[in-house]
Amino acid sequence: MNIRKQFESYLRKHNYTIFDLKAVLFDMDGILYDSMPAHAKSWQMTMEEFGYKSTEPIEFYFHEGRVGKSTINIITEREFKRSATREEKDRIYARKTELFQQINDNAIIKGSKEVLKFVKDSEMKTVLVTGSGQPSLLDRIDSHFPDTFSPETMVTAFDVVNGKPDPEPYLMGLEKGGKLTPNQALVIENAPLGIESAAAAGIFTIAVNTGLLSDELLMDAGASLLFHSMTELLDNLPEIIHLTDTIRI
């Protein structure tokens, strides 16, 4: 994939003449933490406990990035032909959170710390944009990635009305990054809904496929570049940053 051509295509499509990078917006699950297997398992266990029979663990990779209570409602409508009640959403999500905390081992994606360091060393802000509402991860992110994110530079499930794939999370990420325009940021995502959200917000989006879904699915969601690991992204970051500094349309 020609990185230069992808950048030039983005600028033309969005009527920009240059990039003016100030920040990189990061998803959390599957980008910083290797937490998606635990999410999928805890979701599947929870839905089975509550009498849902139509789910499989891989489904939750497709829901990744969506606010949890929205996921519950979608599956309830499919299974029972009705919306989930507020009480059902609260009880199901509380149980899912409990199981996730028991299953998840807080493993960090290889290369993520180095990618974050490169971005910070390049004097750009790091902003977290996640659909997660898992306190076990959000409360520990500063200890795992010190001096990288703060409440002022984090967008979580608690901050948005409309979660991914709506553009609201990434539009809020631009705001928290310093009232940025879309050409002043890049997005690093691994999930189709997150990629859709970032693309709808008009931001150049880089997919890192760390999960079970196909490359084609991530590209079709709106990614402009795709890598297969954070270490592969790290290897390409010098060229990416150089091109965004020099390309003119």
Side-chain angles (χ1 to χ4, degrees):
M1 185 176 294
N2 188 306
I3 297 176
R4 173 180 285 275
K5 285 185 178 179
Q6 291 300 106
F7 280 133
E8 290 175 343
S9 175
Y10 167 86
L11 290 174
R12 291 191 180 97
K13 178 180 178 180
H14 294 278
N15 297 313
Y16 294 119
T17 58
I18 62 169
F19 284 93
D20 179 25
L21 284 192
K22 305 292 185 185
V24 179
L25 281 52
F26 291 86
D27 181 34
M28 183 174 71
D29 296 298
I31 292 295
L32 304 182
Y33 289 108
D34 189 15
S35 47
M36 275 310 299
H39 277 297
K41 185 175 181 179
S42 57
W43 269 119
Q44 181 64 23
M45 291 172 64
T46 300
M47 301 315 281
E48 288 177 356
E49 280 188 21
F50 281 83
Y52 292 76
K53 299 179 180 178
S54 65
T55 62
E56 296 289 341
I58 194 170
E59 173 176 353
F60 298 102
Y61 284 83
F62 290 92
H63 288 297
E64 182 184 354
R66 197 187 302 278
V67 175
K69 292 181 181 181
S70 177
T71 297
I72 294 165
N73 197 59
I74 288 170
I75 296 172
T76 300
E77 288 180 339
R78 182 182 72 212
E79 183 120 1
F80 301 119
K81 306 296 186 284
R82 62 172 177 80
S83 298
T85 66
R86 179 178 296 181
E87 180 186 8
E88 285 174 322
K89 292 175 186 176
D90 290 344
R91 289 174 58 227
I92 292 170
Y93 194 69
R95 179 57 173 157
K96 186 268 173 180
T97 298
E98 180 183 24
L99 289 172
F100 177 79
Q101 291 171 347
Q102 294 172 11
I103 296 167
N104 188 47
D105 61 3
N106 294 308
I108 293 169
I109 292 279
K110 183 179 179 181
S112 60
K113 287 187 174 183
E114 292 78 5
V115 168
L116 290 168
K117 183 179 186 301
F118 186 94
V119 171
K120 291 193 293 182
D121 288 348
S122 301
E123 299 184 343
M124 289 183 286
K125 281 190 176 181
T126 51
V127 180
L128 186 74
V129 182
T130 176
S132 178
Q134 299 293 337
S136 61
L137 290 182
L138 295 173
D139 291 347
R140 297 175 187 173
I141 198 161
D142 190 54
S143 62
H144 295 152
F145 303 98
D147 304 316
T148 303
F149 304 106
S150 69
E152 292 73 31
T153 59
M154 292 171 59
V155 180
T156 75
F158 303 111
D159 299 310
V160 298
V161 175
N162 302 300
K164 303 172 184 178
D166 191 273
E168 181 185 348
Y170 279 106
L171 292 173
M172 188 175 292
L174 292 174
E175 185 73 15
K176 289 198 170 192
K179 300 184 185 301
L180 306 177
T181 55
N183 66 322
Q184 293 180 307
L186 301 175
V187 166
I188 311 298
E189 261 282 358
N190 74 305
L193 296 183
I195 293 167
E196 287 182 38
S197 172
I203 311 169
F204 189 96
T205 305
I206 300 171
V208 183
N209 194 351
T210 60
L212 302 179
L213 305 182
S214 70
D215 291 352
E216 183 179 19
L217 193 63
L218 302 186
M219 294 302 293
D220 287 347
S224 294
L225 297 174
L226 185 143
F227 301 101
H228 294 99
S229 68
M230 290 295 277
T231 53
E232 185 184 0
L233 170 62
L234 181 65
D235 290 341
N236 286 273
L237 266 181
E239 179 184 6
I240 287 169
I241 300 305
H242 172 71
L243 286 171
T244 57
D245 281 343
T246 57
I247 285 177
R248 301 289 185 271
I249 296 297

